[in-house]
Every structure is written in C-alpha cells, then in structure tokens.
C-alpha cells in the first residue's frame, strides 16, 4: 500500500476539477493505495463528493489551515471550516508556504497540532534547499524542522511526513535513490524515537508516472506528494494504480 497524495497548488476551477475526475474515473483501478487530492479551498468539496458521485476512492485535502478556532484572521480558514467540507487531510509547511508566505517552524507546529487534534491527516512537509545540501546541512535542517514542527505532538496516528528537497520541487530534478533512502531512514529514526511507532514518510519533488515505480521501491518510501503530475488525470491515475 502506498500513499498517493496530489498537491494541486493554485490550479483548477470547479469546472476543471470536475473534468479531471471524469477522466480520472475511467482510468483508475481499485487498489489498496490511499489516494489524497489536496485541492484549492474552493474545490475541496468537489473532491470530497467524488466518492459518492463517481465511486472514486479519494480523500479530499487542503493545502493550508490556520491553527485558531476562529476569529479575526482575514483570509484564513479553520479546521472546522475544512471539516465541514468533508476535508480529511491538510498539507502543512510546504516549502512554498515557508519561503513565499514566511511560515515559521513554530507556526507550522501549531497547524500540525490543530489538524491532528481535529482528526484530519497532517501532511507535514520538510526539506532542504540546494544551498543547504551543498553545505552538508541537510540532516541538520531536517532535524530542526522535525524537532520544531512536531514539538509537543503526541499523537502520530494521522501524521505523515513529506520529505521534499526544495531543489527537486517543480524542477524535473529528482533526488537520487541514495539521497531518498538516507533521508527517509534519518526521518524515520527521528520520528520513531518521538512516537514509538512508524510514521509514513512520503517523497516529494518531481515525482511522476514514469519515475514513481523506482521511487516507491526505495526502502522507507511510503508514498509520494505529487505536484505537477497530479494535475493531469492520466498521470495521476497511473500513479494511483501503482502496484509493487
Ligand atoms: P512537483 O511538486 O511534483 O511539481 O515537484 C511537489 C510539491 O510541491 O509538493
């Protein structure tokens, strides 16, 4: 079983999302993979409806959440609002949010806690920049992101970690087998130490229908967080259909 999580980012209107699933439903097979589509807020409900409407096994996800219950936070969205749209998962701490929207490890930590407390899956993203890798800081960076991002989190039942080297996101440059294996092993060791149980670790960064078999065969890879390839129904269906 692999976790196949799409990250649509700021793409797809309601009409686009419906057209995507029309095409996707003809291509996807019943497998035991867990498929998640993290969509813009405006189409989370459209994704959530696919189970009933088209008999598609997909969990609807979002790409951000605010940790507060409610209040004066213009432009933000709460866990209760997401849940009311049958949202079951949230991407937290994506590198685009860390760099473009200046999210700190501390803020990300609050979001992880709020999401897990609400019973939704938290897809907690970490990863080093090219500069950090070239300065041999990869493991230090990952350790800091994990220690701060998961500080005080006690329940790992709905926690997934997504290892996304920033230099591999949207670049067509996939991390090597060796890089993926050693980082996933490192992440698993840290997280297992904290929770006492295994936590799924997804790889993200230019994963697609052509390289996913190779990526999924790497020890310690429990699935993928997929950007570009998740926007194309045929590509995403091919990944959702993965079987070892
Ligand atoms: P990509 O994006 O698959 O387009 O590299 C991955 C992500 O940003 O989660």
């Amino acid at each position: 079983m692999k976790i196949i999580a799409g990250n649509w980012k700021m793409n797809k209107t309601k009409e686009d999302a419906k057209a995507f699933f029309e095409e996707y439903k003809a291509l996807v097979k019943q497998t035991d993979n867990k498929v998640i589509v993290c969509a813009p807020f405006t189409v989370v409900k459209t994704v959530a409806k696919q189970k009933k409407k088209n008999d598609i096994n997909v969990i609807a996800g979002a790409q951000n959440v605010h940790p507060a219950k409610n209040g004066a936070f213009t432009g933000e969205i709460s866990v209760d609002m997401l849940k009311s749209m049958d949202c079951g998962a949230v991407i937290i701490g994506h590198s685009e949010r860390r760099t473009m929207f200046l999210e700190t490890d501390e803020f990300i930590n609050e979001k992880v806690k709020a999401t897990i407390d609400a019973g939704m899956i938290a897809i907690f993203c970490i990863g080093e920049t090219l500069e950090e890798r070239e300065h041999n800081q990869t493991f230090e960076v990952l350790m800091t992101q994990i220690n701060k991002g998961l500080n005080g989190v006690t329940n790992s039942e709905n926690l997934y970690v997504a290892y996304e080297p920033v230099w591999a996101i949207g670049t067509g440059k996939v991390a090597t087998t060796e890089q993926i294996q050693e980082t996933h092993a490192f992440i698993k060791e840290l997280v297992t130490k904290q929770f006492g149980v295994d936590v799924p670790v997804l790889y993200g960064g230019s994963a697609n229908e052509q390289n996913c078999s190779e990526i999924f065969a790497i020890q310690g890879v429990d699935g993928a967080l997929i950007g570009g390839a998740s926007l194309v129904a045929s590509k995403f269906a091919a990944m959702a259909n993965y079987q070892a």
Side-chain angles (χ1 to χ4, degrees):
M1 191 279 273
K2 297 291 179 191
I3 296 153
I4 315 289
N7 175 9
W8 280 0
K9 308 191 179 183
M10 197 174 74
N11 293 289
K12 294 196 192 297
T13 61
K14 193 167 177 181
E15 290 72 29
D16 297 336
K18 283 183 178 169
F20 173 94
F21 283 112
E22 277 307 312
E23 199 184 333
Y24 178 83
K25 90 173 163 190
L27 300 170
V28 75
K29 297 181 192 129
Q30 293 289 351
T31 67
D32 64 354
N33 294 330
K34 189 179 248 189
V35 179
I36 306 172
V37 169
C38 297
F41 297 134
T42 45
V43 290
V44 167
K45 187 80 189 174
T46 308
V47 177
K49 279 183 183 161
Q50 295 305 316
K51 174 80 196 141
K52 222 170 170 176
K53 195 167 169 262
N54 286 323
D55 196 27
I56 295 173
N57 265 325
V58 59
I59 296 171
Q63 303 162 18
N64 190 21
V65 70
H66 193 281
K69 269 267 165 224
N70 51 40
F73 301 101
T74 302
E76 292 294 318
I77 197 158
S78 73
V79 290
D80 288 345
M81 292 169 189
L82 290 180
K83 283 178 76 178
S84 76
M85 295 190 293
D86 299 319
C87 179
V90 189
I91 293 174
I92 298 168
H94 189 279
S95 72
E96 285 152 20
R97 296 221 52 93
R98 290 178 187 261
T99 55
M100 291 186 234
F101 304 101
L102 311 179
E103 290 194 8
T104 62
D105 288 312
E106 290 72 20
F107 193 36
I108 289 165
N109 175 243
E110 287 183 54
K111 294 175 183 220
V112 171
K113 285 181 182 159
T115 301
I116 289 180
D117 286 351
M120 293 187 287
I121 296 166
I123 304 174
F124 167 58
C125 302
I126 57 173
E128 81 288 0
T129 62
L130 187 58
E131 201 187 348
E132 288 162 344
R133 178 164 281 277
E134 284 171 347
H135 285 88
N136 291 321
Q137 293 167 334
T138 299
F139 294 105
E140 193 185 314
V141 167
L142 297 178
M143 183 151 72
T144 303
Q145 288 175 335
I146 289 175
N147 286 344
K148 291 187 173 176
L150 298 181
N151 181 33
V153 177
T154 50
N155 177 2
S156 67
E157 209 180 305
N158 283 321
L159 174 68
Y160 300 166
V161 178
Y163 167 61
E164 299 202 298
V166 179
W167 47 272
I169 296 176
T171 58
K173 214 189 248 179
V174 188
T176 65
T177 298
E178 196 189 4
Q179 287 168 336
I180 296 175
Q181 193 167 336
E182 65 179 13
T183 43
H184 279 236
F186 178 77
I187 293 163
K188 275 189 183 274
E189 193 186 313
L190 276 183
V191 178
T192 307
K193 216 181 266 172
Q194 178 167 349
F195 298 105
V197 290
D198 183 60
V199 168
V201 181
L202 317 183
Y203 168 78
S206 298
N208 61 34
E209 77 291 359
Q210 283 167 8
N211 59 28
C212 71
S213 298
E214 210 175 311
I215 294 169
F216 290 155
I218 302 170
Q219 197 182 355
V221 175
D222 301 300
L225 183 57
I226 307 142
S230 75
L231 296 172
V232 182
S234 58
K235 294 183 181 183
F236 194 60
M239 297 179 87
N241 289 341
Y242 170 83
Q243 262 173 328

